[in-house]
Structure formats: structure tokens, C-alpha cells
Amino acid sequence: EVRFFGRGAGGLNDKLRQQAVIQVGHAYAWLTAALGDKNWLVGNTFGRADLSAIPIVSAFIVHGIPPAPHSPLAKWMERAHQRPSVAKTTEESLAVVPLLEALEEAVGDNSFKRHYRDHRLEWMVRSGGLEVLLDGLAKGNIRFTDTEQFLP
């Protein structure tokens, strides 16, 4: 919301980013505890838990909040990226970043409406960005799920 969509002008973007850093720190602490002294989240074998957590940590990194250098979590990510499947998927995901960076203009001219679902809405409100939501609704560049699509 802040980086790619340019929301939170007037210093609010800094406040939201600070909240994100704190919240990502909580996630990193939880993952580090889960990792313990193991190579992978569930033991010595790469598994579904790793497969589930890697995209989330990768997204945090894209947003400029990497794990601390040389931390167990950073070393875990290094091991993960040695796997060809993870390296390829990460490369493909990073190729989309320039497209995301172009979305701020599209949000500004209302040619793109950001879909606000529960997790996105909760984060924005919980982190102090209620005015971002209200501004987006007033400008018409935030949308919610159209429930009429589910009618028979």
C-alpha cells in the first residue's frame, strides 16, 4: 500500500512503514523460534512449512525489511535459495516488481482499484492507516468484493 500504491501521504507512510517493521519483527521472531537450530522449519528436510514461509519472508525482503544479516533466519533463506525451485520462483516473482512500481500512477488516476480483503483492511486499520482507507474510498480507488457475482 505504501511502497507500490503511494498511499499515506503527509508522513503517514513513514508511520505505516514503522508499524510494518515492528510487525515483521514479530513474524521473524516467531519464525526464528520455530527454526531453532534446525536447517528447516520442521527438521532437517525442506518441507511444506518452509514452502509456505519463504514467499512471505521474500515479500518482506522486497519491501526492504530483510532478516538481520547472518541471523538463523537469513541463513535459512540462503539455504532455501540454493534450491533451484525456490531460486526460479523468486526470480519470476522479482520480475513483477517493476510492474507493481508502476501502479501508483494507476491508483492516482483511478484506472486501478485496489481490492481490500480482510487481511489488507485489518493491517491498514490496525497500523493507523484508517485515513488511507477513507481517502481511497472517497477517491474510488479501493474496492471490496462484489458479492453479487456469487448470485446464481
Side-chain angles (χ1 to χ4, degrees):
E1 297 306 301
V2 173
R3 178 178 176 197
F4 294 129
F5 301 114
R7 300 200 195 270
L12 180 57
N13 52 5
D14 292 334
K15 178 183 175 185
L16 292 171
R17 172 138 176 86
Q18 289 170 354
Q19 287 299 310
V21 169
I22 291 167
Q23 294 164 12
V24 168
H26 297 161
Y28 284 169
W30 185 85
L31 284 168
T32 299
L35 187 59
D37 61 357
K38 303 181 300 288
N39 284 333
W40 303 105
L41 288 170
V42 293
N44 291 320
T45 305
F46 180 83
R48 289 182 181 163
D50 304 289
L51 191 60
S52 298
I54 289 167
I56 295 166
V57 174
S58 295
F60 294 157
I61 292 168
V62 165
H63 289 290
I65 313 172
H70 312 294
S71 67
L73 201 55
K75 292 176 182 178
W76 168 77
M77 283 297 284
E78 289 171 13
R79 280 191 299 279
H81 281 97
Q82 292 172 2
R83 299 180 60 81
S85 61
V86 173
K88 181 179 179 190
T89 301
T90 299
E91 180 183 335
E92 291 171 355
S93 297
L94 290 175
V96 175
V97 170
L99 300 173
L100 294 173
E101 290 172 339
L103 284 176
E104 183 175 348
E105 184 177 332
V107 167
D109 68 16
N110 282 355
S111 59
F112 176 83
K113 291 187 178 191
R114 179 71 155 150
H115 188 184
Y116 262 54
R117 294 182 302 269
D118 55 352
H119 66 286
R120 194 166 289 126
L121 178 62
E122 177 192 347
W123 183 85
M124 189 59 73
V125 173
R126 180 171 38 100
S127 299
L130 182 59
E131 72 182 66
V132 169
L133 174 65
L134 296 174
D135 183 59
L137 290 171
K139 291 178 178 174
N141 60 28
I142 288 177
R143 67 182 176 88
F144 294 103
T145 302
D146 175 15
T147 58
E148 289 182 10
Q149 69 179 317
F150 302 117
L151 291 174

